[in-house]
Amino acid sequence: MPVSPGQRPHPTITVLHAEDRPPGLESDEVRFATDKTLSDALPGSEVLLVWDFTSDAVRHVWHAADALRWVHTASAGVDRLIFPELLDSTVTLTNSRGVFDVPMAEYVLGLVLAMAKDLPTTLAAQQRHEWRHRDSERVAGTCAVVVGGGPIGRAIARLLTAVGMRVELVGRRASEGVHEADALPGLLPRADWLVLAAPLTEATRGMLDATALAALRPSTRVINVGRGGLVVEPDLVDALRSGRLAGAALDVFAREPLASDSPLWDLPGVIVSPHMSGDVLGWREELMEVFAENLARYRAGEPLRNVVDKTLGYVTGGTS
């Protein structure tokens, strides 16, 4: 059943969580569930809050969703929720767009500065009590190609521009200050930095493959804060091992957690972080504010915000 006008003051809400529960959501109308108990909690629920947005449980127990009208995920990406049964249903899907834009942009800027100023080497030398002077690189005047023309990509572009970098922003379609996706191959040879901040869709899956990597200069560094599936990891590993790529900073991976035997842990010039680019102090509370506002709208029969176009895989109404 789609979300439609009409007040619904007391909907039954199921929350899918892992170890931590969302703050401030204790009431008689809320059912808390984990991967193992979700199928028992879903029957009769109108609203599903996917607090554990790393879980694939929803697709596996969708048959139990007999009264569901609205699914909200505590993430910007919705790729784990784009499965045929949900796509074919009339259930409304919303995300947490807006919470992560600035934190992720700050994280990307931090990675750029860390690699340009060779901070990993400095920290490693400090641990060895080794005095090792060397020159570092300027970031001002370098070119960053940022893939993802939505709010996160635009926030990244603003911060990189603020430190004097030239930014080429790439989105699904062309608009003011944004290149269309088909322009990306021609932009790759210009990139000193290639930043991936796009949603994972059928159009973007595996976009950084051997062909795209071959178009980059050996001095280029790749930063991925979007989704691991944007990158063909074996091709990236080959490029890094062979020296055809200067380095990479990766916050997301095809499989998470990253396996302990992955070569990405030890390749020179690589920074690995555990999917944390958008997670700053207070982020859980901000996520709950987004959900709480939409829940108030749902109860009052008002239009929801951050409604995802399920066929595209992201929120429309802005540049994407």
Side-chain angles (χ1 to χ4, degrees):
M1 294 176 290
V3 174
S4 57
Q7 294 187 349
R8 310 188 69 83
H10 303 293
T12 300
I13 303 165
T14 291
V15 179
L16 172 62
H17 65 93
E19 295 180 2
D20 65 321
R21 293 184 177 188
L25 198 62
E26 302 286 346
S27 77
D28 293 338
E29 63 194 32
V30 178
R31 304 170 180 173
F32 291 97
T34 63
D35 285 1
K36 294 181 179 179
T37 61
L38 183 60
S39 61
D40 295 328
L42 268 182
S45 294
E46 289 186 36
V47 179
L48 173 62
L49 168 58
V50 183
W51 186 251
D52 179 11
F53 50 80
T54 66
S55 172
D56 289 316
V58 178
R59 70 177 64 209
H60 298 308
V61 301
W62 187 253
H63 61 275
D66 58 358
L68 204 58
R69 297 165 58 88
W70 168 36
V71 175
H72 178 84
T73 180
S75 63
V78 298
D79 45 282
R80 290 183 181 274
L81 294 169
I82 299 299
F83 52 90
E85 293 83 0
L86 191 148
L87 286 175
D88 293 340
S89 76
T90 56
V91 173
T92 298
L93 175 63
T94 61
N95 71 358
S96 299
R97 175 176 175 164
V99 172
F100 303 104
D101 306 353
V102 172
M104 290 180 69
E106 292 174 346
Y107 201 85
V108 168
L109 176 58
L111 291 171
V112 167
L113 293 172
M115 289 190 284
K117 304 307 178 185
D118 199 20
L119 293 184
T121 299
T122 296
L123 294 173
Q126 180 180 345
Q127 289 184 324
R128 298 189 300 269
H129 296 192
E130 177 183 328
W131 185 272
R132 185 180 172 189
H133 180 273
R134 62 211 183 279
D135 297 334
S136 64
E137 304 169 26
R138 292 180 184 269
V139 297
T142 62
C143 176
V145 174
V146 178
V147 183
I152 293 173
R154 287 179 175 273
I156 292 169
R158 286 194 297 271
L159 277 192
L160 298 187
T161 300
V163 296
M165 298 174 69
R166 294 180 290 108
V167 177
E168 304 287 355
L169 191 58
V170 180
R172 183 176 65 90
R173 59 182 182 272
S175 62
E176 184 177 357
V178 181
H179 300 276
E180 65 179 354
D182 290 346
L184 180 60
L187 295 171
L188 292 177
R190 304 185 201 175
D192 297 299
W193 309 89
L194 175 62
V195 181
L196 304 181
L200 181 62
T201 66
E202 288 308 308
T204 61
R205 187 180 300 276
M207 65 186 302
L208 188 62
D209 57 8
T211 300
L213 287 161
L216 297 170
R217 290 176 289 165
S219 59
T220 302
R221 296 182 179 93
V222 171
I223 298 174
N224 188 10
V225 293
R227 283 291 186 266
L230 301 175
V231 176
V232 180
E233 282 184 6
D235 293 352
L236 178 62
V237 169
D238 288 345
L240 290 163
R241 276 179 170 162
S242 66
R244 290 182 285 109
L245 193 65
L250 307 171
D251 186 57
V252 289
F253 303 89
R255 292 194 176 185
E256 298 178 1
L258 182 64
S260 60
D261 60 353
S262 170
L264 291 169
W265 288 108
D266 300 308
L267 284 171
V270 175
I271 297 175
V272 168
S273 58
H275 202 149
M276 58 179 286
S277 62
D279 301 348
V280 295
L281 295 175
W283 69 285
R284 293 172 181 83
E285 288 74 17
E286 289 186 47
L287 286 175
M288 280 308 301
E289 289 175 7
V290 172
F291 176 69
E293 179 183 351
N294 252 357
L295 181 58
R297 288 172 167 270
Y298 180 86
R299 285 171 168 159
E302 298 174 356
L304 300 181
R305 291 181 174 173
N306 287 1
V307 175
V308 173
D309 183 323
K310 293 186 289 186
T311 60
L312 295 176
Y314 49 82
V315 177
T316 57
T319 305
S320 54

